[in-house]
Amino acid sequence: MRLSQTISNKRIYLSPPHMSGREMKYVQEAFQTNWIAPLGPNVDAFEKEIAQKVGVNEAIAVSSGTAAIHLALSLLGVGKGDTVFCSTLTFVASANPILYQGAEPVFIDSEPDTWNMSPKALQRALQDAFVNGKLPKAVIVVNLYGQSAKMDEIVSLCNVYELPVIEDAAESLGSSYKGKPSGTFGVMGVFSFNGNKIITTSGGGMLITNDKILAEKARFLATQARDQAIHYQHSQLGYNYRLSNILAGIGRGQLEVLEERVQARRDIFDLYYKDLSIVNGIQFMPELTDTISNRWLTALLINEKETGIHANEVIEALAKENIEARPVWKPLHMQPLFHDCKYFRHSETEDVAAYLFDKGVCLPSGSNLTPEEQSRIISCIKQHTNEMLVKEG
Ligand SMILES: *Cc1c(COP(=O)(O)O)cnc(C)c1O
């Protein structure tokens, strides 16, 4: 019997919720005051607390990160016939709202330093769009697994053409770029509080901005676009996107421990790094100088030539041990849903996102992961990378 089978085989999830114990107080307040509604004191307070935490004027609590992205596009007037640029290496939710608006996504490759939007690819895409008289209505920049994109380069390129940037910071709450909080670099930023994110409301999101007028319009659109009248009057298309007052209570209790959650995930990364970076052919997702990643998920690359094992086989081996690991997001330009969309590579010869997808693995990174669980994961990986090497020899 293998050693790994004699010890606990309890399921280890990729990124499960981690309650602080402070949530119930706010949830109970909601019940006691009967604010069981998509508005109320917890919603108002949660918005203020998030705005304060990242240093913006306005935060609008909504039912999901996807809804926040959709609102952002709607507020910028994105519609039929428009294009929107978007990072390719991301979850589908970054780009789906482009389709909701009847617009067309154009995907931009990653670069190797951050795994995020390549300024080189963006520049070529912008030049191409400019020459063809078809500049995008907006640019959606994603901060993958907590690592900020190269915001200085990206924002200044977008400024040349006066294009609004939407920062999809769904995975990067608590991270920073050159001392400035992640999510605050575009005209609007987006956070997600889905169950797997660094803090959660079970489901929820936040749109943030410094622009008071955009914030007012966002609240209006998110509550069915009700005109001011005692009867129900509507002159614009709206949505039912506001966050429940109960869930906002969970968010308040979670936000109080955000810094602890970031530290825990960074510690988990450090331990993986300490034990696995010595394996030939394993390379970790970098952290750009002057940035702090919340290390939402620890991601690494497995070079099959050196380790003798493909990333997907490592994921399978972990699955056999009841451990949930995942490939890096499948790039959106490779998804059947988007097969007609334009795509700009990092360079003529390099499709960085496709490379990262082929070799990338995301390891369990929940802030409640125990040292025992983490050593189960590490020894499984070591065992398989070494086992295969022996076979090769
Ligand atoms: C989770 C996520 C979203 C969507 O957030 P939801 O709250 O699940 O709708 C958007 N973009 C990225 C990059 C995400 O990881």
Side-chain angles (χ1 to χ4, degrees):
M1 197 193 246
R2 292 223 311 273
L3 179 67
S4 51
Q5 286 170 328
T6 63
I7 57 182
S8 161
N9 204 31
K10 202 174 132 237
R11 178 99 175 129
I12 302 177
Y13 292 98
L14 189 70
S15 181
H18 184 185
M19 292 298 107
S20 70
R22 301 170 186 219
E23 296 84 2
M24 280 308 288
K25 180 179 68 172
Y26 298 113
V27 172
Q28 263 157 4
E29 268 172 30
F31 273 76
Q32 275 155 11
T33 54
N34 204 32
W35 277 105
I36 315 294
L39 77 175
N42 279 335
V43 174
D44 297 342
F46 189 38
E47 289 180 342
K48 277 210 189 77
E49 287 155 6
I50 285 274
Q52 220 162 33
K53 180 74 77 183
V54 299
V56 293
N57 294 334
E58 297 283 345
I60 302 96
V62 290
S63 52
S64 71
T66 312
I69 298 170
H70 189 198
L71 281 176
L73 293 177
S74 180
L75 288 164
L76 294 173
V78 171
K80 261 208 174 67
D82 292 329
T83 58
V84 174
F85 287 7
C86 182
S87 308
T88 191
L89 191 60
T90 182
F91 182 46
V92 71
S94 301
N96 274 345
I98 303 171
L99 298 187
Y100 298 167
Q101 289 301 94
E104 216 178 290
V106 171
F107 293 110
I108 312 293
D109 198 4
S110 299
E111 46 78 21
D113 301 336
T114 65
W115 297 14
N116 286 308
M117 185 179 281
S118 156
K120 267 170 60 184
L122 175 63
Q123 185 168 29
R124 266 187 291 108
L126 287 170
Q127 277 161 355
D128 179 83
F130 182 71
V131 167
N132 292 311
K134 191 121 189 48
L135 281 169
K137 258 285 175 52
V139 178
I140 300 174
V141 184
V142 177
N143 302 315
L144 199 68
Y145 305 136
Q147 170 61 60
S148 180
K150 291 183 172 172
M151 294 311 296
D152 280 351
E153 289 89 332
I154 290 167
V155 168
S156 51
L157 278 169
C158 292
N159 284 345
V160 171
Y161 301 94
E162 296 178 345
L163 299 176
V165 170
I166 298 167
E167 194 180 358
D168 179 352
E171 301 176 4
S172 63
L173 178 62
S175 303
S176 66
Y177 175 90
K178 300 189 178 174
K180 199 171 175 245
S182 196
T184 62
F185 288 83
V187 60
M188 285 174 271
V190 169
F191 297 127
S192 165
F193 310 113
N194 189 33
N196 61 349
K197 297 302 198 298
I198 191 146
I199 61 168
T200 183
T201 58
S202 78
M206 195 75 77
L207 183 69
I208 61 167
T209 182
N210 279 317
D211 188 324
K212 272 210 156 30
I213 294 170
L214 282 179
E216 234 167 74
K217 276 195 192 157
R219 289 203 177 84
F220 169 76
L221 289 180
T223 43
Q224 310 280 28
R226 278 147 53 170
D227 294 339
Q228 276 192 356
I230 39 169
H231 53 274
Y232 285 87
Q233 172 146 322
H234 307 271
S235 37
Q236 273 186 69
L237 178 63
Y239 313 97
N240 183 10
Y241 275 171
R242 289 292 262 160
L243 183 66
S244 141
N245 191 57
I246 298 167
L247 302 189
I250 302 176
R252 295 183 72 190
Q254 288 271 285
L255 190 59
E256 287 178 13
V257 295
L258 175 64
E259 284 79 12
E260 285 169 46
R261 297 298 185 254
V262 171
Q263 194 52 53
R265 296 211 186 223
R266 289 182 60 85
D267 291 347
I268 286 162
F269 175 91
D270 288 345
L271 185 59
Y272 279 130
Y273 186 85
K274 181 168 96 34
D275 284 0
L276 292 174
S277 59
I278 47 172
V279 177
N280 261 340
I282 288 186
Q283 194 191 338
F284 281 77
M285 182 180 188
E287 186 173 48
L288 191 68
T289 316
D290 293 334
T291 69
I292 296 170
S293 170
N294 67 16
R295 293 290 188 192
W296 174 54
L297 294 184
T298 290
L300 45 76
L301 301 177
I302 296 188
N303 191 325
E304 190 177 4
K305 282 206 186 90
E306 288 170 272
T307 58
I309 186 167
H310 189 269
N312 290 341
E313 296 173 298
V314 172
I315 293 167
E316 278 166 33
L318 289 164
K320 279 195 192 124
E321 305 283 341
N322 213 12
I323 297 164
E324 184 190 19
R326 294 282 176 133
V328 162
W329 298 125
K330 180 171 182 172
L332 298 185
H333 75 276
M334 296 168 75
Q335 298 283 0
L337 176 64
F338 298 113
H339 79 277
D340 285 334
C341 297
K342 263 195 165 179
Y343 174 54
F344 287 86
R345 293 172 171 220
H346 181 56
S347 76
E348 293 297 322
T349 53
E350 290 167 289
D351 187 333
V352 174
Y355 176 90
L356 296 171
F357 172 59
D358 178 55
K359 296 190 165 42
V361 176
C362 295
L363 296 178
S365 306
S367 42
N368 44 8
L369 189 73
T370 66
E372 294 72 30
E373 288 172 326
Q374 204 177 352
S375 67
R376 248 177 78 198
I377 301 161
I378 290 168
S379 43
C380 177
I381 295 170
K382 275 190 160 168
Q383 197 183 333
H384 284 272
T385 41
N386 292 332
E387 215 169 56
M388 301 299 277
L389 270 186
V390 173
K391 266 189 209 157
E392 294 246 306

